[in-house]
Amino acid sequence: MRLAHHRVAPERRVPDLAEDARAGLLAPPRSMPPKYFYDERGSRLFEAICDTPEYYPTRAEAALLTDVSERVIADIRPAHVVELGSGNSHKTRHLFAACERLGIHPRYWPFEVSPQIMLDSAAALIADYDWLHVEAMSGDYTAGLGNLPLPGDGGRRLILFLGGTIGNFEPAQADAFLAEIVSLMAPGDALLLGLDRVKDVATLEAAYDDAAGYTAAFNKNLINVINRELGGDMPVAGYRHRAVFDRTLSRIEMRLVAEYAHRVRLEALGADFEIAAGEEILTEISRKFSQEAITGLLGRAGLRQTAHYPYGDDQYSLVLAVRD
Ligand code: AVJ
């Protein structure tokens, strides 16, 4: 078997949906963490978002990986490729194609909260690459990286954190998460990080409010998750999707806006709340990085940038950094 599945135990307790809902929904300012978007339906909706004309990050990153994968693999010569939040591993295929051309055969360690998509994708990957071994790891990376079953064989690690997902973290959380990544790295190991860049508001807001409505459906799917998991009665039709770019914080904010005043019952919490017409629930932040912000992020993590691959007119960036 060239495909193994490891369930990664949380390193520390993280709040569960009930606790996050109690802390975030019952009173304003209301917010929920974005990780609850990704149930089966939400994961499929995210894939649909990636195919919309407005959502440029996925295409930008895929184009960059097409161009630079061979350079990255030849440069790092990894024994292990570890991917945090691997999703369907679509973009990662460019790296494996480069590995194949170069005759460099790393093991692949995808880490993903949604195991089904990961395992389906891994099965397709091993069918395409006869040298590839996949050690699929399912779990929640916000609960820590210390329990990943990575081998201590001294083989060089290339860690991937793609898609601009670092932007989902508040600045202090992003620093803490990068520090955890660095603790997986020995000298010579590398991180390939995808970051979305600051740009005009219209492009940014359109990317989070596509005309076909997939992002709206993705955002509103959170209501289905809450209703299903917490015995809730939030009216899906009682909310609309809103995406705004906050220039000061340099981030897109996705919100669910109540269309009319209503009361919500959350049976599993034994609690109710009232929400007024026009009141908002913050469901996701997606930070957009300037050059200075990227430099600061890597510097604070103690990483040295060895290559910066910008897409187009600095629309999106892949950054390769090493631990010295
Ligand atoms: C997967 C977190 C990178 O922030 O752009 C896409 C998620 N949300 N459209 C992002 C998302 C709405 C995406 N990340």
Side-chain angles (χ1 to χ4, degrees):
M1 268 309 278
R2 291 187 285 122
L3 170 56
H5 181 198
H6 311 268
R7 285 181 185 76
V8 178
E11 191 182 2
R12 51 178 180 264
R13 241 200 118 258
V14 289
D16 62 16
L17 176 59
E19 290 165 318
D20 280 327
R22 190 179 291 284
L25 284 186
L26 298 186
R30 302 183 210 265
S31 69
M32 284 296 286
K35 66 180 179 188
Y36 300 114
F37 284 135
Y38 299 91
D39 68 347
E40 195 72 26
R41 177 161 181 269
S43 299
R44 302 287 170 202
L45 283 168
F46 178 66
E47 289 182 3
I49 289 170
C50 293
D51 290 334
T52 64
E54 294 92 342
Y55 193 73
Y56 59 87
T58 310
R59 278 187 305 281
E61 194 173 64
L64 285 173
L65 284 169
T66 306
D67 286 352
V68 308
S69 281
E70 218 164 289
R71 265 184 277 171
V72 170
I73 296 296
D75 195 21
I76 307 299
R77 306 188 73 83
H80 304 285
V81 172
V82 181
E83 181 168 18
L84 307 172
S86 51
N88 61 17
S89 303
H90 245 71
K91 295 166 290 191
T92 327
R93 283 178 167 268
H94 296 291
L95 287 164
F96 296 127
C99 289
E100 173 128 310
R101 291 194 293 272
L102 293 164
I104 295 170
H105 296 158
R107 236 167 227 269
Y108 180 39
W109 302 80
F111 186 31
E112 173 57 48
V113 68
S114 170
Q116 205 46 57
I117 289 182
M118 173 172 58
L119 293 170
D120 291 350
S121 310
L125 274 175
I126 61 170
D128 289 347
Y129 297 101
D130 60 8
W131 48 267
L132 188 62
H133 291 253
V134 181
E135 310 274 359
M137 308 181 291
S138 56
D140 178 355
Y141 57 57
T142 68
L145 303 176
N147 288 334
L148 298 187
L150 301 176
D153 60 359
R156 189 170 298 157
R157 296 173 178 179
L158 170 62
I159 299 180
L160 312 176
F161 193 40
L162 299 175
T165 304
I166 188 76
N168 268 184
F169 293 108
E170 299 277 353
Q173 294 177 312
D175 285 351
F177 191 63
L178 271 194
E180 287 196 61
I181 291 176
V182 169
S183 71
L184 298 178
M185 296 166 70
D189 289 352
L191 169 67
L192 187 64
L193 183 64
L195 305 118
D196 198 12
R197 303 291 304 276
V198 179
K199 61 183 64 61
D200 66 281
V201 180
T203 303
L204 284 169
E205 291 186 347
Y208 291 85
D209 195 5
D210 63 280
Y214 288 113
T215 310
F218 175 75
N219 196 8
K220 288 170 139 199
N221 185 50
L222 183 64
I223 298 171
N224 299 123
V225 172
I226 290 166
N227 286 345
R228 183 182 68 229
E229 302 294 327
L230 300 178
D233 62 359
M234 288 177 82
V236 179
Y239 291 83
R240 73 185 158 78
H241 166 68
R242 182 161 176 249
V244 281
F245 184 61
D246 183 320
R247 225 184 231 288
T248 309
L249 296 174
S250 196
R251 68 189 200 184
I252 282 280
E253 296 184 355
M254 291 215 310
R255 297 167 175 277
L256 289 167
V257 188
E259 297 270 36
Y260 48 83
H262 61 277
R263 167 180 291 275
V264 171
R265 173 74 183 165
L266 296 174
E267 202 56 52
L269 303 189
D272 294 25
F273 66 89
E274 303 233 21
I275 187 160
E279 240 198 275
E280 301 186 329
I281 304 169
L282 175 66
T283 54
E284 183 174 52
I285 64 166
S286 192
R287 290 166 59 218
K288 308 302 165 190
F289 294 84
S290 64
Q291 181 56 64
E292 303 72 62
I294 296 174
T295 306
L297 192 67
L298 296 176
R300 289 189 300 278
L303 290 168
R304 181 170 58 85
Q305 179 179 303
T306 57
H308 178 194
Y309 306 109
Y311 178 77
D313 186 18
D314 281 335
Q315 275 220 69
Y316 188 90
S317 290
L318 277 178
V319 165
L320 186 65
V322 296
R323 177 170 185 172
D324 286 311

